[in-house]
Amino acid sequence: MHSERICVEFRNQICNMELAIDTSSNIVSVALSHKGEILASLTWQTLQNHTIELLPNLVCLLQQAKVELGSIEAIVVAKGPGSFNGLRVGISTAKGLAFTLSIPLLGVNTLESEAYPFAFTELPLRPIQKAGREEIATALYRQKDNEWQCLEAENLTTVKTLCRRIKQKTLFCGEIPAGIIREIQQNLGRRAIISQGNSPSRASSLAILGWQKLSKGEHDDPVTLQPLYLRPPHITKPRERTPFLSPRVEQRIQRNGNSQIRC
């Protein structure tokens, strides 16, 4: 596996756990929790190899934590926005496990999982995700009076357009490229607070948010849960193929033009 960074933390072994899976980007993470309390987590860097790396690393986490798959009572998965292939791998794996184990499945917004570790600041929280074509994916969250709120749903915009809308001190978080950070700081100055890269893994946030939904009786249908894409995936249109004609038919076409050729 092309793993650049692996972090594992373990606590006491407990039964009846939740498993969280995040494959939204090239920084992948999985976590085990009990009622939203993180027990073990694993994070690694991939080179677009989600398909071949997710299950081996998931098995590694379970083995090192000495946890049987049957101890898992719910699956939480990042549903996007994010990497087209990564989200497909994560959600397909989560669906398969939920179906096999007959346990609840919960999809959580990736941007929400980026913002949640900073809820304690009670600042407006702007998770940022590069979306290509000079666009970014963003949303707006805030915790106020102990209530976690989504103030703006996920959407595509540009840094310049977003900065024009921001009038108060705001915390920006997520895997923000250096160029976008500079542009935000140049446009907003002291109104922009940029999070440092020491926040918990997205899978850890997913586990907490997933448990909050589960404790309210919420869950998703494995059949209908789909990745959240803010832009349709780019699919190359197949080239038109010239139909094969036998030499005899080609000679007739050249001789008679396009007029009623019989094979």
Side-chain angles (χ1 to χ4, degrees), residues 151-186:
L151 304 179
E152 178 185 304
E154 64 282 344
N155 62 92
L156 289 176
T157 186
T158 63
V159 176
K160 184 177 295 186
T161 299
L162 177 62
C163 289
R164 284 199 296 261
R165 293 159 47 196
I166 295 177
K167 306 302 180 183
Q168 60 180 314
K169 186 175 291 186
T170 300
L171 189 149
F172 293 83
C173 54
E175 297 174 27
I176 313 177
I180 292 179
I181 290 176
R182 286 194 297 270
E183 189 174 354
I184 291 172
Q185 291 174 328
Q186 289 169 1

Side-chain angles (χ1 to χ4, degrees), residues 44-98:
W44 71 96
Q45 183 92 27
T46 185
L47 299 176
Q48 297 292 338
N49 291 323
H50 302 82
T51 305
I52 61 176
E53 293 182 4
L54 178 57
L55 282 177
N57 276 318
L58 179 54
V59 171
C60 175
L61 177 66
L62 292 172
Q63 289 178 342
Q64 293 193 43
K66 298 180 180 179
V67 171
E68 298 291 336
L69 195 57
S71 297
I72 306 299
E73 63 176 12
I75 306 289
V76 186
V77 64
K79 65 179 182 180
S83 159
F84 174 68
N85 182 64
L87 291 175
R88 286 194 337 181
V89 172
I91 291 179
S92 296
T93 302
K95 284 184 173 185
L97 290 171

Side-chain angles (χ1 to χ4, degrees), residues 114-115 118 126-129 171-177 181 195-197 199 202:
E114 293 275 21
F118 305 98
R126 277 280 178 192
I128 297 289
Q129 185 183 98
L171 189 149
F172 293 83
C173 54
E175 297 174 27
I176 313 177
I181 290 176
S195 68
Q196 302 301 315
S199 60
R202 279 194 301 264

Side-chain angles (χ1 to χ4, degrees), residues 104-106 210-220:
L105 172 67
L106 301 102
W211 171 253
Q212 290 177 359
K213 293 178 64 176
L214 188 64
S215 62
K216 296 176 184 177
E218 301 177 21
H219 61 86
D220 290 288

